[in-house]
Amino acid sequence: MRKPPTVDELYRLRHSTAHVMAQAVKHLFPETKIAIGPPTEDGFYYDFDRDTPFTPEDLAAIEEEMKKSIAADDPFVCREIGREEAIRFFEERNEPYKVELIHDIPEGEPITLYQNGDFIDLCRGPHVARTGEIKAFKLLHVAGAYWRGDERNKMLQRIYGTAFFSQAELEEHLHRLEEARRRDHRRLGRELGIFLIAPEVGAGLPIWLPKGAIVRETLVEFMREEQRRRGYLPVITPHLAKVDLYKLSGHWYTYRDKMFPAMQADHEEFVLKPMNCPFHIQVYRSELRSYRDLPIRLAEFGTVYRYEQSGELGGLTRVRGFTQDDAHLFCRPDQLLDEFRGVVDLVILVLRRLGLPFRARVGVRDTDSEKYVGTPEQWEQAQQAILAAVQSLAMPHFVAEGEAAFYGPKLDFLVEDALGREWQLGTIQVDYVLPERFDLTYMGDDGQQHRPVMIHRAPFGSLERFIGILIEHYAGAFPLWLAPVQVRLIPIADRHVDYCRAVCIRLQEAGLRAEVDERNEKIGYKIRQAQLEKIPYMLVVGDREVESGQVAVRSREAGDRGAVPVEAFLDQVRAEVWGGTPCH
Ligand SMILES: [Zn+2]
Ligand SMILES: [Zn+2]
């Protein structure tokens, strides 16, 4: 077996395929002007200026034309050329974009052309030796793209494609693309009734529909319960505050480009809150604290508003208003290790419960100590506490120099979803700066005032983004404990409805989310609907079930499981909800 290609080899191959594609486009549509065609992380593209839009049929024809060049096994030949000659060359061929690019090449830098077959492009290279090395490629889709990414420029047509050294690798990649489309949370969010983005409300401001709200509240309840158990105290704070608060915290100076503009009322300026921390600090400051009071752990599902560029908004992963499962821990320096370990332990519990594999990134400072605040001793102590915590919990982790915040080191959790994509979730940060800025103190056992240390933590991070990731990870099929509808009863005929209603009430009383499909539809249709909605359990009820006091169980994963007494089903499902393992 050949060893897997390096990134460089893949870039070379894909860049070469982009040239072959441009060559094919020029063969088939000679009036087209060519712009740029670089490799990307998982493929390549080339931008074309052509009045008629490329159709899927055009893409198929271009692919066929490309195959001819590949079969010809043309060499890629490089040649250096003078500036004037290069400009003349592309002017003669009526390629104004290339001429513009040449004008931008700094004086003294070599200008090179690459030729394959009859196609010559302005290019820095590098390329594969011959077109025959392109063993597997596919053109994927067309999208609009402004010349040089500037919306004042002409909109060009960008053809995306990808290439690999083997057909098997290409097919694997196409399969992953298809899976990503199938799992896309924007599509599933709409189909499953999870959330809504209404243009009338605004981009980046999702509305939670009933089923999504159930998922979200279930997660919140789970977290609330765990926090209660660990001595967190709930607080609730407003969505607006005076600008002065954020001047004191420093956010107004360092974070302003992410804040919505201030608004005026009663001769005062207010701003939507981008962070919960300054509010929780007010709670700490509201009383005199002694060393005996610490640690104090304040938790809030706090909604914050952050200004994101409108072009960057999409689904739940980038939004302008979102809710954090936020908490701030105020502790003595000697409590830092235990508190940090407690938080890490909670995050691990959450990620295990959700079946998300993870690793942790320990963000420590780099050698350029200028940009950090706090003393070297504080940093050393905090970094040691973080490392000791992750080591004592035997979790996979790595140290990343320079990934610390300017006010303290941090721990980021990176989870891997079902497609192997890595997402950064919750963060735990140690902070020496805010206690300083707000002059937080506690009375030590020595009768002196001391400065507490603060820990910021949000295991889910943003609930919006987290649920977006969960939808894609589960492909919409939430585990039983999170599923908006856990059990749907399906009566075969009208005369079975009353029995179904009685069973449904029994299940609801036991704490399950159950409902009866009373619609006047065929049984096959109802089962199919429940499957599309990804409901974990369907209970089908006919004469036999009514007579014997049973239900016929169909599970989303295992299909038909036969008839069981209602109470037996209930016991199994309850065990599955609390135990987390399906009862096949
Ligand atoms: Zn090139
Ligand atoms: Zn915070």
Side-chain angles (χ1 to χ4, degrees), residues 102-122:
I102 295 167
H103 281 299
D104 285 354
I105 298 175
E107 209 56 60
E109 218 171 88
I111 297 173
T112 51
L113 302 180
Y114 269 86
Q115 175 161 12
N116 57 295
D118 59 358
F119 180 73
I120 302 174
D121 202 349
L122 172 74

Side-chain angles (χ1 to χ4, degrees), residues 277 326 328 456:
C277 340
D326 210 358
H328 294 94
H456 308 246

Side-chain angles (χ1 to χ4, degrees), residues 28 41 78 109 138 164 168 175 191 204 243 315 320 383 419 425 475 481 507 524:
L28 297 172
E41 201 170 317
C78 178
E109 218 171 88
K138 176 108 189 104
F164 287 88
H175 173 73
E191 285 174 14
V243 164
R320 286 177 165 174
Q383 289 180 180
L419 283 185
L425 284 186
W481 71 282
L507 298 178

Side-chain angles (χ1 to χ4, degrees), residues 35-67:
I36 53 162
T40 62
E41 201 170 317
D42 51 11
F44 62 85
Y45 65 78
Y46 213 115
D47 288 347
F48 300 103
D49 182 1
R50 176 176 178 243
D51 292 335
T52 324
F54 289 109
T55 63
E57 292 72 36
D58 292 340
L59 291 195
I62 295 167
E63 282 182 344
E64 286 311 308
E65 189 65 22
M66 289 169 72
K67 282 178 192 162

Side-chain angles (χ1 to χ4, degrees), residues 15 19 121-123 127:
H15 186 179
H19 278 231
D121 202 349
L122 172 74
C123 179
H127 284 282

